[in-house]
Amino acid sequence: MLRTVNRILLAVAGAVLLAVGAVVLTGSWPLHGRHAPLLSEQTRGRYWHADGWWWWAVAAGLAVVVLLALWWLLSQLRRPRLQALVVDTGDGAFATLRGRALEEAVAAEAGALEGVAGCRVALRGRRGSPALRVALELEPHAVPADALAAVAGPVLTHARTSAGLPELPAEARLKVTSHRAQRVT
């Protein structure tokens, strides 16, 4: 979703800046020519000394723009990967498991499966409800159902028990490595 919001914001900002640049360069409407003042005397008098609602509307509009800009900035700074998990050690204490360590362990175990050429793993979610995103690159002769069953069975069970989690949802994406066609002579 964040990628879509970024693209929309960039498109809107680009269109607005393009329109403003064209208006300023041509000096056309609403500027009334290159030598005319930006705001006429009548306009300045009407809005500068307006009743109370005009400036409240401008302030509210600017406040909404500032809040949206802050939301966008904070969402850019948020890390998409989960950095650490808290694991119950069983004796009343807790240990911290780095997210990268769990990702690397799952990737190594899934990468060692038959028919798997490579594996990338990302730990996402929150500390209380982590989730894995597994991207498997299969060899041309591999059976996708067997590789998926092996990852969903022993690999995820081992990760779940080692991290002390009651459940660890996972999303798997399968891709076959590119290979050259075999020629028969």
Side-chain angles (χ1 to χ4, degrees), residues 136-161:
L136 292 173
E137 190 172 350
L138 301 177
E139 294 175 353
H141 62 75
V143 179
D146 293 344
L148 186 60
V151 169
V155 173
L156 287 180
T157 302
H158 188 240
R160 211 177 289 120
T161 56

Side-chain angles (χ1 to χ4, degrees), residues 180-185:
R180 295 180 60 166
Q182 296 179 353
R183 296 186 181 196
V184 179
T185 57

Side-chain angles (χ1 to χ4, degrees), residues 72-129:
W72 180 75
L73 178 66
L74 291 175
S75 66
Q76 297 300 314
L77 297 176
R78 185 178 48 171
R79 293 182 177 261
R81 286 187 166 181
L82 189 58
Q83 297 298 315
L85 289 173
V86 177
V87 179
D88 186 9
T89 59
D91 59 357
F94 292 95
T96 302
L97 173 64
R98 286 186 322 117
R100 294 276 186 197
L102 182 62
E103 290 173 359
E104 291 170 3
V106 171
E109 193 171 348
L113 295 172
E114 182 182 344
V116 176
C119 180
R120 289 185 324 237
V121 179
L123 184 64
R124 305 208 179 241
R126 295 193 165 93
R127 284 187 179 204
S129 59

Side-chain angles (χ1 to χ4, degrees), residues 39 41-51 54-55:
L39 295 174
E41 185 68 36
Q42 179 186 6
T43 305
R44 284 185 299 221
R46 186 171 79 197
Y47 291 118
W48 192 257
H49 301 292
D51 295 329
W54 171 255
W55 295 112

